[in-house]
Amino acid sequence: MPVNALTNSFVLGATAGGVQWGTTIVTIFTFIILLALLKKFAWGPLKEVMDKRERDINRDIDEAEEAKLNAQKLEEENKKTLKETQDEVHHILKDARIQARKQHEEIIKDAHERANGMIETAQSEIKSEKERALADINNQVSELSVLIASKVLQKEISEQDQKGLVDKYLKEAGDK
């Protein structure tokens, strides 16, 4: 038998007496039934499981991408909120500094006004005390002058004359 014929007989299940077509047809038919059963009971459910797994993986990937986008969006919002908060804090601090400076200036102004008022009050009190002291001194000088004059002249003068003389001496003393 040539090599080609020997190969054909092994492939087709032939024996030395020839090809048994009945066995070959039954084998092919059994093989087709086996393929149909495998497709229905093995490949179908296996393919469904694989398709479901692929859908789940794709869904998980889509959810992860969506979560990533949401996280980026939240990060941007947080940065924006942080920036706004920092700007607001800066503004509040600036306003507080300005307000503190104004209060400082008002306190100093009030203190100066009070000090000036106290100085003016003290000066007017000093002036009035000085005038009272001068008036007392003038009265005492006039009384002493009258007493001295009366002793010197050994006579009594009227009260009007006395006041006239005191006024005259006071004017003279004030001019000096």
Side-chain angles (χ1 to χ4, degrees):
M1 235 184 190
V3 176
N4 236 357
L6 183 61
T7 305
N8 283 342
S9 39
F10 282 125
V11 171
L12 295 175
T15 60
V19 176
Q20 294 182 357
W21 287 105
T23 306
T24 304
I25 291 176
V26 170
T27 303
I28 291 173
F29 183 69
T30 307
F31 183 71
I32 291 173
I33 291 174
L34 179 65
L35 284 178
L37 289 173
L38 281 174
K39 182 179 179 186
K40 182 175 182 179
F41 294 110
W43 290 107
L46 185 62
K47 182 158 176 29
E48 284 180 31
V49 168
M50 296 301 281
D51 288 344
K52 183 179 181 286
R53 179 72 179 146
E54 181 181 4
R55 284 191 304 271
D56 290 345
I57 290 172
N58 286 335
R59 187 185 70 238
D60 290 345
I61 289 172
D62 291 342
E63 288 175 358
E65 288 176 1
E66 186 177 329
K68 181 181 176 184
L69 291 174
N70 286 339
Q72 288 174 344
K73 183 178 178 182
L74 286 174
E75 181 182 8
E76 290 174 7
E77 289 176 4
N78 287 341
K79 285 181 181 179
K80 181 181 176 185
T81 304
L82 178 64
K83 174 77 171 128
E84 290 172 356
T85 304
Q86 287 174 340
D87 290 344
E88 186 175 338
V89 166
H90 178 70
H91 182 70
I92 289 171
L93 287 175
K94 183 179 176 183
D95 287 347
R97 284 186 197 114
I98 291 171
Q99 186 66 25
R101 195 174 300 126
K102 284 180 183 177
Q103 286 179 347
H104 179 261
E105 290 171 359
E106 286 178 13
I107 289 170
I108 290 174
K109 181 181 173 187
D110 289 345
H112 282 293
E113 288 175 0
R114 283 190 213 145
N116 289 339
M118 291 169 72
I119 289 171
E120 287 176 8
T121 303
Q123 286 175 344
S124 19
E125 286 178 8
I126 290 170
K127 185 178 179 181
S128 65
E129 286 294 321
K130 182 180 175 183
E131 288 174 359
R132 266 190 245 130
L134 285 175
D136 285 345
I137 290 173
N138 286 337
N139 285 337
Q140 288 176 0
V141 166
S142 66
E143 287 175 9
L144 285 174
S145 298
V146 168
L147 185 62
I148 292 171
S150 68
K151 292 236 180 212
V152 170
L153 295 175
Q154 294 282 326
K155 72 175 189 170
E156 288 198 28
I157 19 180
S158 70
E159 197 174 309
Q160 285 181 337
D161 291 339
Q162 181 183 356
K163 284 188 180 184
L165 286 172
V166 168
D167 287 339
K168 180 182 172 188
Y169 288 123
L170 286 178
K171 283 183 186 178
E172 288 176 8
D175 289 339
K176 293 181 182 178

